[in-house]
Amino acid sequence: MNTTDNLIPRPSHVALQDEPPFTLESAARIAADKPAGPVAEQLASLLRRSTGFALPIVQGPLPGDITLKLEETFDGGPEAYALTVAESGVRLTASTTAGLFNGVQTLRQLFPAAIEGPDAADASPSDPTWVIPAVEIADAPRFAYRGLMLDVARSFFTVAQVKEQIDVMTQFKLNVLHLHLTDDQAWRIEIHDPGAEGNPSGLPYANLTALGAQGAVEVPTATPVRGREGFYTQQDFLDIQAYAASKNVLVVPEIDVPGHVNTALAAIPQLNADGVAKSMSTTPAVGWSTLDESLPATYEFVREVLTQLAAITVGPYLHIGGDEALVTGHENYVAMVQEFARIAAGTGKTVVGWNEYAAAELPPGSVIQYWFGDLAPVLKHAETDGSPVIMSPAANTYLDQKYAPDSPVGLEWVEGGPFTWAEYYNWDPAQGGLKDQHILGVEGALWSETVRNNQQAQWLLYPRAVSLAEVAWSSPEVRNAGDFRRRLGALGERLARQGVAFQEAPDVEWSGTSEWPFPEAATSFTPKYGTIEA
Ligand code: TNX
């Protein structure tokens, strides 16, 4: 076994060559043309940290260099890459910088685990550490959309924390970060007060964060630990997206309507039929708030918020939620969602919503994110209107669920749980009649009712998000659960060196250990549609 056997996600083609290996020497350089410069710079800074080598970025390669090459004619799809490792040098080819970025993640894993640091002193000087077997790799993703969702509403994550999450997820070629920005407990994105002209009813938009940023969830346990507070300015949101883009990650913002809206009802009195603002709430209960279908202010509000959000969203998608509107009434739900989706599409973005919204008529091309319940309406939209589907079935992708009954954090309402890396590995997104061509991709959601910092989030994410990364990237032909378990074991040392917390799944032989990020008492609580009332 060597590093070519340990790659995660598993590439389409890996052919070990019966030739001498490549050794990265201190005089090596990284050869890259201008457009490949930023990716080359990222590779260089990663390698410099642990090797201590200078690794300058240059134009033409010499023997012993690593070459990054953009070739328009290279085919295999926009994210594909080819990697050749030989004694004479390393050559990475792709048609886009996204392809190069993906290849760099593979190259990173081909180096010995010591490449992850923490520093050069750590490497044994007697052993020529930076050796890679000669290998030919050709690789491309099964699905274009490989996402994680972070619920920054129930408990806030700062800009720095979000960037740190991006750093970790991208080594597994995950390329979408969905931010759940609003919910019953809090509102996390700045919305400016528009001038009088754009605000016929005088709605106090700035109050959404003035009041709503101080909100957070509080789970009713023996020693409740309140969620974190905070919000993103519009500039913060742009900053997150710029950072994400540099790592091949697209950000998808979500404003959850018409349910999960108590914060909006508390901040903007006009959204209530009686004109009286609701109180803020910390309950983790779901499905108890709704916008009012009959109020013109409802549509004014949604239009203004989505218009401002669209203006600061770099990517093509706007997520409008649509989940768990349990007190809305079906007809009102359908009427509102149809209008909200139309408004969102009117901003020029592609609309995304949780699968309940498939009950409505949607603008052409709208994306459906399946999480729970009947897949049939989703399939119907996919087949008749070509709606792309994001697969997030709770029992295979929900990263907020416990690993085991004694997990110190996590929820456990999803049937079939608790869930380990295996349940999130052993499933196929193409199910219930859906075929690969209907599926945009896969996303794992980290709801944050029980999570209070990045390390705790990482512990719930890893290794399960790694399972999802392979499900989303690798073709079924190269996937194998037993082999994946072995590769997870080898990954342990890398995660440990990166300082990433992970659950030491008891059925995996881990090559490194995780920190235990739970100084505080367990925040265990069970119900969802059960005993906690608003
Ligand atoms: C369901 S999944 C929700 C969230 C909760 C989550 C807890 C979905 C679209 N909605 O509001 O946080 O369960 O697991």
Side-chain angles (χ1 to χ4, degrees):
M1 292 287 170
N2 61 55
T3 55
T4 62
D5 297 310
N6 293 345
L7 297 169
I8 299 189
R10 185 137 194 91
S12 319
H13 301 281
V14 180
L16 206 56
Q17 307 294 298
D18 191 13
E19 282 168 37
F22 169 79
T23 301
L24 186 73
E25 307 280 4
S26 60
R29 301 122 20 108
I30 298 181
D33 294 335
K34 255 268 157 72
V39 181
E41 199 48 66
Q42 290 188 29
L43 173 63
S45 59
L46 177 89
L47 299 177
R48 283 173 193 145
R49 203 183 45 195
S50 42
T51 62
F53 299 164
L55 297 168
I57 315 279
V58 297
Q59 298 273 317
L62 292 174
D65 287 351
I66 297 174
T67 305
L68 271 49
K69 191 88 192 133
L70 277 173
E71 272 174 16
E72 265 170 45
T73 54
F74 178 84
D75 56 27
E79 285 200 277
Y81 67 91
L83 184 59
T84 302
V85 178
E87 188 179 22
S88 58
V90 173
R91 189 181 169 86
L92 172 59
T93 315
S95 66
T96 65
T97 53
L100 287 182
F101 184 88
N102 290 328
V104 162
Q105 305 319 308
T106 301
L107 179 57
R108 174 179 183 175
Q109 292 184 14
L110 288 175
F111 279 102
I115 206 72
E116 301 299 340
D119 51 53
D122 191 60
S124 146
S126 59
D127 129 53
T129 313
W130 316 116
V131 180
I132 305 180
V135 67
E136 298 264 1
I137 294 175
D139 199 10
R142 179 177 177 192
F143 297 117
Y145 183 116
R146 304 176 302 277
L148 290 186
M149 190 210 80
L150 208 53
D151 172 5
V152 299
R154 270 55 172 267
S155 188
F156 186 63
F157 291 77
T158 63
V159 172
Q161 287 175 321
V162 170
K163 289 180 180 175
E164 207 181 299
Q165 294 290 356
I166 291 170
D167 289 343
V168 181
M169 69 189 265
T170 47
Q171 69 188 301
F172 306 112
K173 304 186 176 74
L174 293 168
N175 68 350
V176 179
L177 180 67
H178 166 186
L179 292 175
H180 181 76
L181 292 166
T182 68
D183 215 300
D184 287 318
Q185 303 82 359
W187 187 282
R188 306 297 186 194
I189 182 74
E190 173 185 40
I191 303 294
H192 299 300
D193 271 328
E197 225 169 281
N199 194 357
S201 308
L203 307 185
Y205 289 100
N207 212 26
L208 287 166
T209 50
L211 183 73
Q214 298 159 41
V217 80
E218 192 170 303
V219 292
T221 49
T223 48
V225 186
R226 203 167 181 277
R228 308 295 177 207
E229 301 173 8
F231 74 101
Y232 308 122
T233 63
Q234 296 201 355
Q235 189 54 49
D236 286 340
F237 183 62
L238 288 166
D239 180 25
I240 289 172
Q241 292 174 93
Y243 188 81
S246 76
K247 303 220 159 185
N248 195 35
V249 168
L250 184 77
V251 175
V252 178
E254 176 187 354
I255 300 293
D256 202 349
V257 285
H260 290 273
V261 291
N262 185 67
T263 311
L265 304 182
I268 302 183
Q270 295 92 325
L271 293 177
N272 302 277
D274 60 6
V276 179
K278 294 278 192 301
S279 317
M280 290 289 283
S281 168
T282 60
T283 175
V286 295
W288 51 276
S289 65
T290 184
L291 291 171
D292 189 324
E293 190 270 335
S294 67
L295 295 178
T298 294
Y299 304 94
E300 260 182 68
F301 165 76
V302 170
R303 180 181 302 279
E304 183 60 32
V305 167
L306 292 181
T307 302
Q308 287 195 32
L309 189 60
I312 53 168
T313 297
V314 175
Y317 301 116
L318 268 195
H319 201 307
I320 62 168
D323 59 314
E324 300 180 317
L326 305 181
V327 295
T328 308
H330 185 69
E331 282 185 10
N332 287 344
Y333 175 84
V334 170
M336 278 194 279
V337 161
Q338 229 152 259
E339 184 57 15
F340 298 162
R342 225 180 47 80
I343 291 170
T347 68
K349 299 293 184 186
T350 298
V351 191
V352 188
W354 298 106
N355 59 285
E356 289 97 318
Y357 102 140
E361 258 176 56
L362 301 172
S366 298
V367 177
I368 302 173
Q369 182 167 18
Y370 174 78
W371 70 283
F372 203 64
D374 194 1
L375 196 55
V378 179
L379 180 65
K380 190 167 157 273
H381 269 286
E383 284 180 335
T384 55
D385 331 323
S387 296
V389 180
I390 299 167
M391 287 301 282
S392 303
N396 304 104
T397 69
Y398 266 27
L399 297 159
D400 67 321
Q401 298 293 300
K402 288 187 173 193
Y403 287 103
D406 65 353
S407 293
V409 293
L411 300 184
E412 49 178 333
W413 62 269
V414 178
E415 215 170 309
F419 304 101
T420 69
W421 68 269
E423 284 87 3
Y424 292 18
Y425 189 83
N426 292 314
W427 68 289
D428 190 353
Q431 55 181 262
L434 285 174
K435 306 206 167 45
D436 276 30
Q437 81 231 36
H438 301 128
I439 300 172
L440 183 59
V442 171
E443 183 178 294
L446 183 74
W447 303 100
S448 63
E449 284 92 337
T450 66
V451 179
R452 297 296 173 264
N453 59 45
N454 251 8
Q455 283 234 308
Q456 294 179 2
Q458 287 170 350
W459 188 84
L460 284 171
L461 285 162
Y462 302 102
R464 292 183 294 196
V466 186
S467 298
L468 298 183
E470 182 148 314
V471 169
W473 179 279
S474 304
S475 70
E477 298 86 71
V478 302
R479 277 172 51 193
N480 174 288
D483 183 61
F484 181 75
R485 175 167 59 186
R486 183 190 58 73
R487 285 181 283 134
L488 277 184
L491 180 67
E493 182 184 356
R494 290 173 194 263
L495 292 176
R497 285 170 175 275
Q498 292 168 19
V500 173
F502 59 98
Q503 184 245 6
E504 291 175 26
D507 56 345
V508 172
E509 272 181 57
W510 294 101
S511 57
T513 57
S514 168
E515 282 179 33
W516 180 249
F518 306 106
E520 286 145 340
T523 54
S524 181
F525 90 118
T526 306
K528 194 160 90 88
Y529 302 113
T531 54
I532 300 169
E533 297 300 330

